[in-house]
Amino acid sequence: MVATPKIRTQVGIIGAGPAGLFLSELLHRHGIASVILESRTREEIEGTIRAGVLENWTVDLMNQLGVGERMMREGHFHTGITLRFKGQSHHLDMVELTGGKKVTVYPQHEVIKDLVAHRLAQGAEIHFGVRDVALHDIISDRPFITYAQADGTPAVLTCDFIAGCDGFHGPSRQAIPAAARKEFQKIYPYGWLGILTEAPPSHHELIYARHDRGFALLSMRSPEIQRLYVQCDPKDDIALWPDARIWSELHQRLETVDGWTLTEGPIIQKGIIAMRSFVCETMRHGRLFLAGDAAHIVPPTGAKGLNLAVADVLVLSRALEKFYAQGDSAGLDAYAATCLARIWKGERFSWYMTTMLHTDEAASPFEHRIREADLDYVVSSRAAATALAENYVGLPI
Ligand code: FAD
Ligand code: DHB
């Protein structure tokens, strides 16, 4: 009989998304060993289209870690964003409102590519394509993870700590007994249909549009590729959205300002996402620490999800560094509380942007007017604009 391969490390990380990869990079800088177990292939994680906007400090962190070179070359650095509603465009100058902080568009899958390449070049162990990941003895000081390697061979990873960075549907949060989990959730009646289209960006910065037909967002990926989103029913089948319907809705919702036109091109990718806000305040259970989407989800309108994930692992890496260097577990004990203070502000901002910018058939005419008043306030009050801007570019970490 072939013996089950057993490996040992200090921190066992489940998931090679932004949370898992940044954590492994940060730990390496502190001389702490980790192993990442990822259920998808490298090609899959490097090809999944998700987030686009990085907060100012996330950009700084990429540079400090030595993984920012391509981002600085290929990213889009914007001074602000445009809010478009009631037939008018309003530019919010984030740089001016925040004392110099920019809006950076650099796609999540490019961040993933940069981090994977960097970690592998440093000799990191990232096991792709693993299956049946299960967490054991998480309330002991010798937790372990069982899994099947890509070729099906069962394996065991023993560690001092487990970092659950496996996204909303991963096994880590479920490994905490339901009775011990304190969770909060809100489901929205909105979905986003996102497309990639081979056309140069119709505008040099992002446009967030509120329209009676629903929200629309113009973003970009490169000088040749636009990223566009249109509000839809989250239960819609993508088959209900042939290309002509998508373009018709985008034109109607975005071309509300004299002289501005949306450039069309072939649609090369499309998909629908539903929206929820979710927080599991129990971010630590024994030797298991949850980070990123495994612990919290935001609707995408505020562009916060990826950044919140990175913020968690920055806090966790500092706490682990203190533990290993000085035997001080105060940072680990304070992990959830430290993260949650910032997470709830990200939840609030994402809820606020989503509610203000989307149209809800179930909302009363009164609520509809309140949402318009919210937008009017942002574009007519420097205080309100500053509040939006400081959240958008990222609160202090
Ligand atoms: P994930 O990226 O979900 O990574 C989890 C990893 O764990 C995955 O690779 C997964 O394969 C792996 N995994 C899962 N289960 C297992 C298992 N059983 N075993 C091993 N591995 C497992 N955020 C922003 O900040 N800005 C934006 O502009 C933005 N726009 C968005 C637009 C869209 C359309 C969407 C869908 C999301 C957007 N987000 C945005 C949110 C952002 O993409 C997520 O918040 C981010 O990916 C969270 O990172 P994570 O590492 O916590 O989780
Ligand atoms: C993108 C996604 C967002 O959620 C957002 O608020 C802005 C831009 C994007 O994918 O480019």
Side-chain angles (χ1 to χ4, degrees):
M1 217 177 88
V2 183
T4 300
K6 285 196 175 122
I7 44 177
R8 161 139 191 88
T9 192
Q10 288 173 300
V11 181
I13 300 176
I14 308 176
L21 289 165
F22 268 101
L23 179 61
S24 138
E25 182 75 42
L26 286 158
L27 293 177
H28 177 72
R29 302 252 306 180
H30 293 307
I32 301 168
S34 68
V35 170
I36 304 184
L37 303 177
E38 166 58 53
S39 56
R40 293 183 297 158
T41 63
R42 182 174 177 183
E43 292 68 34
E44 281 169 321
I45 65 164
E46 292 185 347
T48 305
I49 309 297
R50 293 187 77 181
V53 180
L54 303 181
E55 290 181 0
N56 206 77
W57 68 272
T58 309
V59 170
D60 291 345
L61 182 66
M62 295 264 295
N63 285 325
Q64 280 159 25
L65 294 173
V67 291
E69 196 216 324
R70 205 162 61 90
M71 170 188 70
M72 296 313 287
R73 228 179 29 243
E74 297 175 14
H76 302 251
F77 299 93
H78 300 165
T79 51
I81 60 167
T82 290
L83 295 176
R84 188 168 283 181
F85 61 100
K86 290 204 282 190
Q88 289 197 320
S89 260
H90 305 265
H91 185 249
L92 290 191
D93 189 328
M94 303 275 176
V95 173
E96 201 251 328
L97 288 164
T98 63
K101 293 182 179 160
K102 293 194 188 73
V103 176
T104 302
V105 181
Y106 186 64
Q108 176 166 334
H109 65 280
E110 304 295 352
V111 174
I112 298 275
K113 280 185 206 165
D114 296 341
L115 284 165
V116 168
H118 200 249
R119 287 304 290 123
L120 291 178
Q122 290 163 336
E125 267 192 72
I126 308 178
H127 298 270
F128 294 103
V130 305
R131 279 173 284 138
D132 306 330
V133 167
L135 297 80
H136 307 270
D137 291 356
I138 52 179
I139 50 166
S140 78
D141 57 7
R142 275 288 176 272
F144 64 99
I145 305 167
T146 53
Y147 61 101
Q149 297 177 144
D151 66 2
T153 318
V156 180
L157 173 64
T158 58
C159 41
D160 301 332
F161 298 96
I162 299 176
C165 302
D166 44 2
F168 186 68
H169 300 287
S172 294
R173 191 177 65 256
Q174 305 304 331
I176 303 174
R181 292 199 309 258
K182 202 169 175 191
E183 297 178 342
F184 301 81
Q185 174 158 265
K186 177 177 170 62
I187 308 275
Y188 298 83
Y190 325 120
W192 274 14
L193 190 164
I195 62 163
L196 284 179
T197 174
E198 278 172 351
S202 310
H203 191 66
H204 63 287
E205 292 182 343
L206 271 61
I207 301 175
Y208 288 83
R210 178 184 164 92
H211 191 279
D212 288 347
R213 301 186 68 83
F215 170 76
L217 168 60
L218 180 142
S219 181
M220 60 217 55
R221 287 294 178 265
S222 71
E224 299 84 31
I225 308 271
Q226 280 188 116
R227 177 78 166 148
L228 290 148
Y229 297 100
V230 62
Q231 179 186 342
C232 65
D233 186 319
K235 294 184 289 301
D236 272 358
D237 189 323
I238 195 76
L240 288 170
W241 286 89
D243 293 3
R245 181 179 176 202
I246 298 173
W247 286 118
S248 164
E249 287 299 330
L250 284 167
H251 282 292
Q252 291 180 75
R253 298 179 195 190
L254 284 163
E255 284 178 347
T256 56
V257 178
D258 282 349
W260 191 89
T261 52
L262 174 67
T263 315
E264 285 193 24
I267 295 178
I268 51 174
Q269 201 255 2
K270 60 180 171 181
I272 291 177
I273 56 154
M275 286 190 202
R276 77 169 88 215
S277 298
F278 171 85
V279 179
C280 172
E281 287 197 341
T282 317
M283 293 179 70
R284 182 220 181 139
H285 189 70
R287 289 280 179 122
L288 167 65
F289 291 82
L290 302 180
D293 279 17
H296 43 80
I297 294 284
V298 288
T301 326
K304 287 281 152 267
L306 180 154
N307 298 287
L308 287 172
V310 184
D312 288 352
V313 298
L314 187 56
V315 174
L316 184 56
S317 70
R318 288 173 181 163
L320 286 166
E321 200 262 329
K322 255 192 168 168
F323 176 84
Y324 281 110
Q326 298 155 28
D328 180 351
S329 54
L332 293 173
D333 295 339
Y335 170 69
T338 307
C339 292
L340 285 166
R342 197 168 177 282
I343 288 164
W344 275 112
K345 294 186 187 78
E347 292 283 341
R348 184 207 69 83
F349 180 68
S350 305
W351 164 85
Y352 156 76
M353 289 287 279
T354 302
T355 308
M356 179 168 72
L357 285 162
H358 288 69
T359 45
D360 181 358
E361 278 170 20
S364 65
F366 175 84
E367 287 165 309
H368 184 78
R369 286 283 188 273
I370 291 290
R371 291 166 186 207
E372 288 180 349
D374 244 335
L375 274 166
D376 269 332
Y377 183 42
V378 165
V379 300
S380 58
S381 153
R382 187 176 169 92
T386 305
L388 189 153
E390 72 172 352
N391 279 277
Y392 195 89
V393 300
L395 292 173
I397 167 126

